[in-house]
Amino acid sequence: MRAVRRALRLLGLGLAALLLVATFFALVFHGWMEAQGRGIIVLTRTSNTPVLGWIVGVLTDEPRSTETTIGGQPTLLVRPGEGRSWPAVVFLNGVTRRGRFHPTVQRLARALARAGYLVAVPDVPGSRQGTLTASTLAGTEAVVAAVSGRGDVRDGRVALFGVSVGGSLALLAAEDPRLSRRVRLVAALAPYTNLADVVRIATTSSYVRDGMLRRYTSKPFAALVVARSLAAALPRGRDRSLLLQRLEAVADNSHEPLAALRRLDQRRLRPAARALIRLLANRDPERFHTLYAAIPERIRRTVTLLSPLAGASRLRARIMIASAPHDKYFPPDQTRALVRRDSHVKLTVTPTLQHAIPHFSIGDLSGILRFDGYLVRVMRAAG
């Protein structure tokens, strides 16, 4: 009996010590554990893990989805199943024809709502067609302002989540002095930061770093988005309409998206349109600077307006960016330039990402851990 009592006493002491350790970790790492839990909800409901996804679905409330208009833009609004106010996320998509109706986007929005966030997914002007303009940015800023002003948004502040071009729009919105106090976080997967460099890469497969020319090949779709966006910045008139008509007829998966411009009879075009076509048709890296300087100033102003790097000094929110070592559209040097410009910007490079989409592999444990760490930091900062 004495031995039994001694064993029970030791067991009791062990349980008490375990309880103390658990309490310590719960107090010290409460925020991290809660963020990890939210991250698990998002990952299991968006990745190919049917059993875990089902378990999370059983343990969390079914979200409530509504098609509405926010800030003048058609928007998918998803709210958690319970509660009256929540931390808010504005999710900004990359270029995709299905926009907010894309199944992956809808799964992500609902997963974030299960994790406790109010989620707004707008289709801002030009985002579905890949035609980026000043109106695209204005629509984004209008949605951010409207969401932050909702009565069911906690603290009147929002987190901006963006993928690809959507990440760039999130950065640009956070730079707006009228919105900077309303944005608590920008989380971006594989954004561009310098649109002029994207034009150079898309046309000449090169960019400049530290004064030296670097080779970099992007997928042809980047050239199509660049061409549509620059053509939309031409003055309104016949030339602009003709170029946009030709470019909008090009399939998004075309291997030669700019062939339609190269075949165009330029004799009846005005000098501005001809200068733009010469830039877009050029493949010689040595000629890029001269040809870029020759396009109308209004187009170059639009390129600067849509380049987060140009306004990086105005960033006030926390900025968390993740990118692949070799992205199919934008080199990580784009983000590194933003990191050098602003201390608010933190970059995570992981091969788990293929452009803006995570792909998990048992053979890439370190990459998975880096992405998980990124996601946990994002969840903590998002509120």
Side-chain angles (χ1 to χ4, degrees):
M1 289 296 293
R2 185 177 300 172
V4 172
R5 285 197 298 271
R6 186 166 180 264
L8 289 174
R9 187 163 58 250
L10 290 173
L11 179 61
L13 289 172
L15 289 174
L18 184 62
L19 181 61
L20 285 173
V21 170
T23 303
F24 171 79
F25 273 90
L27 291 173
V28 175
F29 299 105
H30 171 72
W32 180 88
M33 294 170 67
E34 182 179 3
Q36 182 68 79
R38 290 182 174 186
I40 290 172
I41 291 172
V42 172
L43 287 176
T44 56
R45 295 296 293 186
T46 55
S47 59
N48 188 24
T49 53
V51 175
L52 291 176
W54 177 81
I55 293 172
V56 168
V58 170
L59 297 176
T60 57
D61 295 318
E62 187 69 24
R64 297 168 287 170
S65 300
T66 308
E67 277 292 324
T68 186
T69 299
I70 297 179
Q73 313 304 317
T75 302
L76 169 67
L77 181 67
V78 188
R79 289 169 289 182
E82 291 186 353
R84 295 185 178 181
S85 67
W86 310 272
V89 169
V90 175
F91 179 79
L92 298 165
N93 209 356
V95 176
T96 170
R97 291 286 180 177
R98 289 188 278 184
R100 68 190 188 279
F101 299 108
H102 196 291
T104 301
V105 173
Q106 297 228 341
R107 282 198 302 272
L108 177 60
R110 295 177 65 82
L112 287 167
R114 285 184 182 275
Y117 299 99
L118 177 148
V119 187
V121 186
D123 278 333
V124 295
S127 62
R128 294 173 70 168
Q129 300 78 22
T131 306
L132 308 180
T133 65
S135 296
T136 312
L137 177 56
T140 302
E141 293 171 340
V143 171
V144 173
V147 171
S148 66
R150 290 176 60 94
D152 53 1
V153 169
R154 196 169 296 166
D155 300 330
R157 300 175 71 201
V158 300
L160 308 183
F161 290 9
V163 298
S164 188
V165 166
S168 305
L169 291 170
L171 289 166
L172 290 166
E175 291 173 356
D176 188 331
R178 297 168 298 179
L179 298 176
S180 59
R181 294 185 180 277
R182 307 188 193 188
V183 178
R184 70 169 77 244
L185 165 73
V186 175
L189 300 184
Y192 75 81
T193 64
N194 185 337
L195 187 53
D197 269 358
V198 177
V199 177
R200 181 193 283 270
I201 291 168
T203 56
T204 71
S205 299
S206 69
Y207 69 100
V208 177
R209 188 185 74 188
D210 300 328
M212 297 187 64
L213 204 62
R214 311 280 176 168
R215 302 298 300 182
Y216 200 94
T217 302
S218 64
K219 293 291 185 181
F221 184 55
L224 184 57
V225 171
V226 158
R228 287 171 176 167
S229 302
L230 269 58
L234 284 167
R236 291 186 178 276
R238 176 185 174 277
D239 290 357
R240 178 178 179 273
S241 298
L242 176 62
L243 265 61
L244 285 175
Q245 182 182 19
R246 292 293 181 93
L247 291 167
E248 287 167 2
V250 177
D252 289 349
N253 60 355
S254 171
H255 294 293
E256 289 285 343
L258 302 185
L261 293 185
R262 296 190 184 100
R263 292 193 298 264
L264 195 62
D265 184 358
Q266 300 183 35
R267 289 175 294 181
R268 297 180 61 186
L269 297 178
R270 294 180 180 274
R274 291 203 300 269
L276 178 57
I277 291 175
R278 284 195 295 271
L279 172 70
L280 295 173
N282 172 59
R283 294 178 176 175
D284 182 357
E286 302 295 339
R287 298 185 62 211
F288 177 83
H289 181 75
T290 301
L291 293 173
Y292 184 76
I295 63 175
E297 184 182 355
R298 62 177 290 154
I299 299 181
R300 286 184 275 118
R301 283 201 305 267
T302 298
V303 169
T304 301
L305 175 72
L306 297 174
S307 296
L309 189 63
S313 62
R314 297 193 296 270
L315 287 171
R316 296 292 178 269
R318 296 184 66 182
I319 312 296
M320 300 182 184
I321 300 177
S323 181
H326 186 98
D327 185 80
K328 65 181 179 180
Y329 294 123
F330 316 128
D333 278 339
Q334 284 254 321
T335 304
R336 291 190 182 104
L338 194 65
V339 171
R340 290 192 296 270
R341 189 73 62 87
D342 194 285
S343 60
H344 293 84
V345 183
K346 304 300 179 186
L347 172 63
T348 299
V349 178
T350 170
T352 298
L353 282 177
Q354 295 181 15
H355 189 46
I357 302 174
H359 288 268
F360 302 104
S361 168
I362 297 299
D364 181 29
L365 183 59
S366 63
I368 292 173
L369 291 175
R370 279 199 296 274
F371 185 77
D372 178 71
Y374 168 79
L375 186 60
V376 169
R377 290 191 295 274
V378 167
M379 294 290 104
R380 288 193 70 180

